[in-house]
């Protein structure tokens, strides 16, 4: 992963960034990432996918992309985390490890009994999934969290808690688990709790436990090396990690009318800054040096800003015609923001200073905006009525080769796209 999107909230794709990109042309390499250990070429980023070699993914891989009636929701919601040729999806009951070359699925279940929401089990509005985070490094972990319970035994009452799971992303084997006590305010919550991975950086991962009623959140920082809780903070919904800072949404009390964006030290949890109180605040991608912050002020004025995560200083006020929009960092130097509804629009900002590089549509150049589906390694993937396309994220120019599909999840091995109401995985071939 939670799937609700208030006005001004920014969604983002899970990114796997393992090397710097020096250009926008394909970067062929050789890796032994397949289950059969056979070497194959990889491309960072892919220029083309094989449309004849599609592999069907489980229904969970479409979570949040479709309405209950199978209609495209037109939002960038990627439920999948990719590591080489494996795709990971976390449902309420298990972490699914999917081989994108064969479609084989392995379910990694929590040790305790999952607590599920009957309204979000695939019979409600849409299938519900939790975010999965893939850590950096030579031996990456797939991180997931679950709300679970232990039944009453003897004099011990039933216990509800959160189970944090660290899974070897290459093998799909559970490395270790860590139980987390739920916060005091949530123990008598009448509605279901959620536990989501808010991100990871270096040796620290973040888990946020929340409830809709009462409306509240608590964030836990987990030391992935010592396998322990570093700190916890109530009334914080962590959203991003940048420059050693956790940036999220905080409030003064449970069910508070107003909330605010705020920054906290990643290692200690100490608050560094707090923004203005607002309604519908959101924190999204801004690149390695910035975060995007949105909201509606107490004077009912919407704002869209790029902010320094360490200090909270506003570096750039975004254009007046901007937002609500989704934004994603391209992994190089460009923040790509786009609106796939209420008229297609795309903006590209320099992540060093927040300056606008280009925008579509551009009437002077007789260019329309595409429907953006993914942004990765300096490349934008999407489509127009003419079919799938790819663009250079820095310049906004169309690239000469059609990728063949418009992937919503992509890495150097594979792209996932919707085919009707199914998710299909296609191998990168160029």
């Amino acid at each position: 992963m939670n799937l609700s999107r208030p006005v001004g909230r920014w969604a983002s794709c899970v990114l796997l960034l393992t090397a710097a990109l020096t250009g926008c042309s394909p970067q062929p390499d050789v890796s032994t990432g397949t289950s059969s250990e056979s070497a194959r070429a990889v491309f960072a980023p892919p220029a083309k996918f094989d449309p004849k070699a599609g592999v069907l993914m489980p229904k969970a891989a479409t979570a949040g992309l479709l309405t209950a009636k199978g209609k495209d929701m037109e939002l960038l919601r990627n439920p999948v985390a990719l590591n080489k040729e494996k795709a990971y999806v976390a449902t309420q009951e298990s972490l699914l490890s999917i081989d994108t070359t064969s479609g084989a699925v392995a379910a990694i279940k929590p040790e305790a009994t999952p607590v599920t929401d009957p309204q979000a089990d695939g019979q409600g509005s849409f299938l519900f999934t939790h975010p999965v985070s893939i850590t950096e490094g030579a031996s990456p972990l797939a991180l997931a969290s679950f709300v679970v319970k232990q039944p009453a035994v003897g004099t011990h009452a039933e216990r509800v808690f959160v189970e944090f799971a660290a899974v070897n992303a290459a093998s799909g084997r559970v490395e270790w688990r860590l139980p987390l006590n739920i916060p005091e305010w949530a123990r008598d919550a009448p509605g279901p709790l959620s536990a989501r991975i808010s991100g990871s950086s270096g040796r620290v991962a973040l888990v946020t436990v929340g409830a809709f009623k009462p409306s509240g959140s608590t964030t836990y920082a987990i030391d992935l090396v010592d396998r322990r809780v570093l700190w916890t903070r109530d009334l914080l919904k962590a959203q991003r990690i940048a420059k050693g800072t956790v940036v999220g949404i905080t409030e003064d009390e449970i069910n508070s009318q107003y909330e605010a964006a705020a920054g906290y030290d990643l290692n200690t949890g100490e608050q560094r800054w707090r923004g203005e109180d607002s309604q519908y605040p959101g924190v999204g991608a801004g690149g390695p040096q910035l975060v995007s912050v949105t909201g509606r002020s107490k004077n009912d004025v919407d704002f869209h800003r790029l902010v320094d995560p360490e200090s909270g200083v506003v570096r750039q006020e975004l254009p007046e015609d901007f937002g609500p929009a989704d934004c994603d960092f391209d992994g190089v130097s460009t923040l790509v923001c786009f609106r796939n509804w209420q008229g297609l629009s795309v903006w590209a900002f320099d992540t060093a200073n927040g300056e606008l590089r280009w925008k579509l549509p551009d009437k002077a150049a007789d260019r329309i905006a595409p429907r953006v589906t993914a942004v990765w390694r300096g490349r934008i993937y999407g489509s127009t009525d003419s079919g799938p396309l790819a663009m250079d994220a820095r310049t906004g120019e169309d690239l000469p080769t059609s990728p063949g599909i418009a992937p919503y999840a992509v890495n150097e091995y594979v792209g996932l796209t919707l085919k009707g109401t199914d998710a299909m995985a296609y191998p990168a071939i160029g």
Side-chain angles (χ1 to χ4, degrees), residues 15 17 19-24 286-290 306 328-337 347-358 375-380 392-396:
L15 300 178
L17 306 178
L21 179 65
T22 58
C24 287
Q289 304 296 321
L290 301 168
L306 294 178
D328 206 353
F329 174 47
D330 77 334
V332 185
S333 65
T334 305
L335 179 69
V336 180
C337 300
W347 300 261
F349 302 95
D350 188 323
T351 56
N353 53 30
E355 292 183 357
L356 180 67
R357 282 180 168 167
W358 55 268
V375 180
W376 196 69
R377 296 281 183 91
R379 186 160 300 198
I380 299 171
D392 185 310
R394 181 178 178 84
T395 66

Side-chain angles (χ1 to χ4, degrees), residues 304-363:
H304 312 275
R305 299 163 177 161
L306 294 178
V307 172
D308 183 296
E310 286 186 302
S311 65
V313 172
V314 177
R315 297 302 184 192
Q316 195 72 252
E317 293 281 356
L318 299 183
E320 291 184 1
D321 64 344
F322 184 87
D326 294 306
C327 288
D328 206 353
F329 174 47
D330 77 334
V332 185
S333 65
T334 305
L335 179 69
V336 180
C337 300
F338 45 92
R339 186 169 56 230
N340 286 340
W341 65 99
Q342 298 177 351
L344 298 175
S345 296
V346 185
W347 300 261
F349 302 95
D350 188 323
T351 56
N353 53 30
E355 292 183 357
L356 180 67
R357 282 180 168 167
W358 55 268
K359 176 191 172 183
L360 290 177
D362 184 346
K363 292 184 178 179

Side-chain angles (χ1 to χ4, degrees), residues 197-223:
I197 303 295
S198 304
S200 63
S201 178
R203 62 185 289 165
V204 181
L206 302 175
V207 178
T208 297
V209 175
F212 179 73
K213 187 177 181 180
S215 176
S217 297
T218 294
T219 291
Y220 304 70
I222 311 297
D223 188 315

Side-chain angles (χ1 to χ4, degrees), residues 386-397:
S386 302
L389 58 78
M391 300 169 60
D392 185 310
R394 181 178 178 84
T395 66
E397 293 300 318

Side-chain angles (χ1 to χ4, degrees), residues 409-426:
V410 61
N411 69 359
E412 63 268 43
Y413 289 84
V414 66
L416 270 63
T417 190
L418 285 175
K419 185 177 182 180
T421 59
D422 292 326
M424 302 292 294
Y426 295 91

